[in-house]
């Protein structure tokens, strides 16, 4: 039976990079006879302009009946001044929450061809292969109460709530232990248990879950130290599990170790492995429309989608190999450019990956 894939290009560079990823998906769909049906929807600023809300009901309905979703990026300065609840980012948070996509996998892997594009010394990052498992539907991003209120003295105060229930911690911990047991068997849980009660409980629950995974070696680290260790000696990590906000921050830092945030794909999964796939980077309004954005994170997100939600590991591998081939050939979008390589734009990079796929 045909499986539906929903494509949400979004805003900024989203449509440009998704156009390239879509060609790659269409190619492997026919080459590997995957029987996927692609459909399109609106999310973020594009949805606000067309429908007045960042997550239209029609998009959510399509999302619920799809086996997987490919997303570009959302947001941009033209929507910065509208009401907080109607901003593009809200649409992204709403769809993550409505589909219960609690498990966010963000692999940071250094392609050996890009060692000199990293801001760290090549010996610190050579062979780097980290997986950040970020909790995506809880924590301070969603905690209530939240808002901006006026105090008795007339001053305004902004407030948010950081909370995690045991079941929320347990399900993300299990996902991370499963991932670690399939990799090198090392899991580092990142928290701020020296200050925040919510993460005291986090540490306790992760510790408890670890009893079910005797083959995985668990360690704990405070988030400030983890940020330092990531740029000091990143290869000490294999799998990192952490909450929503810490994961947001650490995954951007980890991304840069690999040469460019333009290389990092991600998967956001529900309990049944249904998922939304998106590059870790944002909508980059400063370079939107110029045809210079790196489409590889989105193309690699298609590979993750084929592997995790569409049971097509061969097609996933073919895409990852094709990306490696174009990097071997020296093609670089501006974010990756170093002297001696061949500078290309979004479309040329996409076409090159397409040409490197089995025909
Ligand atoms: C990410 C992004 C989002 C987040 C924004 C766009 C809401 O930074 O996916 O990392 O903070 O989760
Ligand atoms: Mg982020």
């Amino acid at each position: 039976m045909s499986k539906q894939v929903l494509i949400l290009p979004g805003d900024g560079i989203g449509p440009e990079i998704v156009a390239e990823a879509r060609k790659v998906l269409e190619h492997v769909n026919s080459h590997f006879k995957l029987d996927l049906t692609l459909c399109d929807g609106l999310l973020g600023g594009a949805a606000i302009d067309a429908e007045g809300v960042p997550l239209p009901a029609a998009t959510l309905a399509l999302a619920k009946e799809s086996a997987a979703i490919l997303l570009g990026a959302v947001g941009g300065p033209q929507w910065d001044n509208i009401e907080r609840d109607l901003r593009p980012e809200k649409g992204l948070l709403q769809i993550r929450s409505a589909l219960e996509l609690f498990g966010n996998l963000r692999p940071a892997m250094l392609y050996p061809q890009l060692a000199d594009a990293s801001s760290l010394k090549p010996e610190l990052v050579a062979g780097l292969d980290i997986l950040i498992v970020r909790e995506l539907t809880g924590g301070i991003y969603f905690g209530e109460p939240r808002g901006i209120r006026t105090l008795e003295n007339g001053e305004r105060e902004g407030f948010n709530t950081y909370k995690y229930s045991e079941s929320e911690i347990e399900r993300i911990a299990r996902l991370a232990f499963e991932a670690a047991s399939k990799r090198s068997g090392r899991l580092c849980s990142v928290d701020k248990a020296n200050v925040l009660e919510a993460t005291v409980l986090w540490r306790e629950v992760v510790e408890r879950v670890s009893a079910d995974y005797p083959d995985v070696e668990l360690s704990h680290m405070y988030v400030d130290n983890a940020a330092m260790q990531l740029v000091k000696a990143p290869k000490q990590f294999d799998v990192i599990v952490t909450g929503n906000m810490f994961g947001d921050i650490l995954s951007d830092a980890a991304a840069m170790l690999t040469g460019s945030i333009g290389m990092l794909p991600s998967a956001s999964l529900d309990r049944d492995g249904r998922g939304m796939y998106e590059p870790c980077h944002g909508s980059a309004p400063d370079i939107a429309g110029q045809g210079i954005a790196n489409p590889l994170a989105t193309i690699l997100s298609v590979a993750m989608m084929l592997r995790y939600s569409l049971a097509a590991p061969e097609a996933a591998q073919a895409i990852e190999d094709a990306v490696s081939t174009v990097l071997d050939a020296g093609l670089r979008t501006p974010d990756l450019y170093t002297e001696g390589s061949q500078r290309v734009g979004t479309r040329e990079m996409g076409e090159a990956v397409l040409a490197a796929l089995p025909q």
Side-chain angles (χ1 to χ4, degrees):
M1 206 186 79
S2 171
K3 288 181 183 165
Q4 179 168 298
V5 175
L6 173 62
I7 302 193
L8 303 171
D11 312 318
I13 58 171
E16 303 161 49
I17 53 180
V18 165
E20 301 312 311
R22 183 188 194 116
K23 288 184 220 163
V24 168
L25 180 57
E26 277 167 351
H27 179 86
V28 296
N29 187 22
S30 77
H31 183 85
F32 291 95
K33 304 195 171 38
L34 303 178
D35 197 14
L36 305 174
T37 310
L38 312 190
C39 65
D40 291 274
L42 294 170
L43 182 77
I48 295 171
D49 291 348
E51 313 265 338
V53 287
L55 173 60
T59 300
L60 186 56
L62 279 174
K64 285 189 171 159
E65 68 194 30
S66 298
I69 302 165
L70 179 68
L71 168 65
V74 298
Q78 62 270 55
W79 302 285
D80 271 356
N81 294 321
I82 58 180
E83 196 190 319
R84 262 202 324 279
D85 275 346
L86 288 178
R87 291 182 45 164
E89 291 79 2
K90 203 74 187 181
L92 177 59
L93 298 177
Q94 283 166 350
I95 195 170
R96 286 174 178 170
S97 177
L99 300 178
E100 288 188 73
L101 305 173
F102 68 91
N104 186 207
L105 308 182
R106 299 190 158 189
M109 200 192 104
L110 181 79
Y111 279 82
Q113 303 93 322
L114 298 180
D116 52 1
S118 172
S119 44
L120 294 194
K121 297 189 197 89
E123 64 268 27
L124 286 182
V125 289
L128 183 82
D129 183 3
I130 299 177
L131 176 65
I132 297 186
V133 179
R134 169 189 177 196
E135 199 291 327
L136 202 60
T137 52
I140 199 165
Y141 269 53
F142 291 93
E144 298 281 348
R146 63 189 299 156
I148 299 174
R149 61 191 164 204
T150 304
L151 302 174
E152 272 171 20
N153 67 4
E155 188 188 12
R156 289 190 311 153
E157 175 184 75
F159 59 101
N160 289 88
T161 302
Y162 190 164
K163 60 180 168 193
Y164 268 117
S165 67
E166 288 184 287
S167 58
E168 284 176 312
I169 303 167
E170 180 165 344
R171 65 182 182 178
I172 192 71
R174 289 202 182 277
L175 188 70
F177 276 105
E178 295 289 341
S181 67
K182 290 186 200 119
R183 293 169 50 107
S184 79
R186 282 182 300 121
L187 176 63
C188 179
S189 171
V190 171
D191 61 39
K192 189 71 186 171
N194 51 345
V195 180
L196 304 174
E197 285 79 359
T199 70
V200 171
L201 184 67
W202 174 283
R203 192 176 278 221
E204 199 186 300
V205 174
V206 172
E207 200 60 56
R208 192 169 74 210
V209 172
S210 78
D212 294 342
Y213 299 89
D215 55 323
V216 175
E217 185 194 319
L218 173 67
S219 61
H220 302 277
M221 200 179 275
Y222 297 139
V223 63
D224 48 350
N225 186 25
M228 180 176 79
Q229 296 299 332
L230 262 180
V231 292
K232 184 176 170 215
K235 283 191 273 182
Q236 70 185 279
F237 296 107
D238 180 28
V239 181
I240 291 176
V241 64
T242 190
N244 206 339
M245 180 167 60
F246 297 160
D248 179 45
I249 299 167
L250 294 181
S251 60
D252 266 27
M256 216 43 226
L257 304 174
T258 69
S260 165
I261 195 167
M263 292 301 297
L264 250 77
S266 80
S268 306
L269 304 172
D270 74 2
R271 64 178 66 246
D272 304 317
R274 218 161 53 112
M276 183 161 81
Y277 297 81
E278 52 179 310
C280 287
H281 60 70
S283 58
D286 53 323
I287 58 163
Q290 296 176 31
I292 58 170
N294 184 350
L296 293 180
T298 317
I299 290 173
L300 290 167
S301 297
V302 170
M304 285 190 92
M305 175 167 94
L306 291 162
R307 207 183 290 283
Y308 288 96
S309 293
L310 300 173
E314 262 181 70
Q317 192 61 51
I319 293 174
E320 286 159 359
D321 291 347
V323 167
S324 220
T325 304
V326 302
L327 293 175
D328 277 339
L331 272 61
R332 302 285 186 270
T333 41
D335 54 309
L336 298 172
Y337 182 78
T338 48
E339 208 159 317
S341 57
Q342 184 190 341
R343 194 189 289 266
V344 295
T346 311
R347 180 164 313 155
E348 282 165 286
M349 188 58 113
E351 298 286 338
V353 173
L354 208 54
L357 284 167
Q359 303 294 318

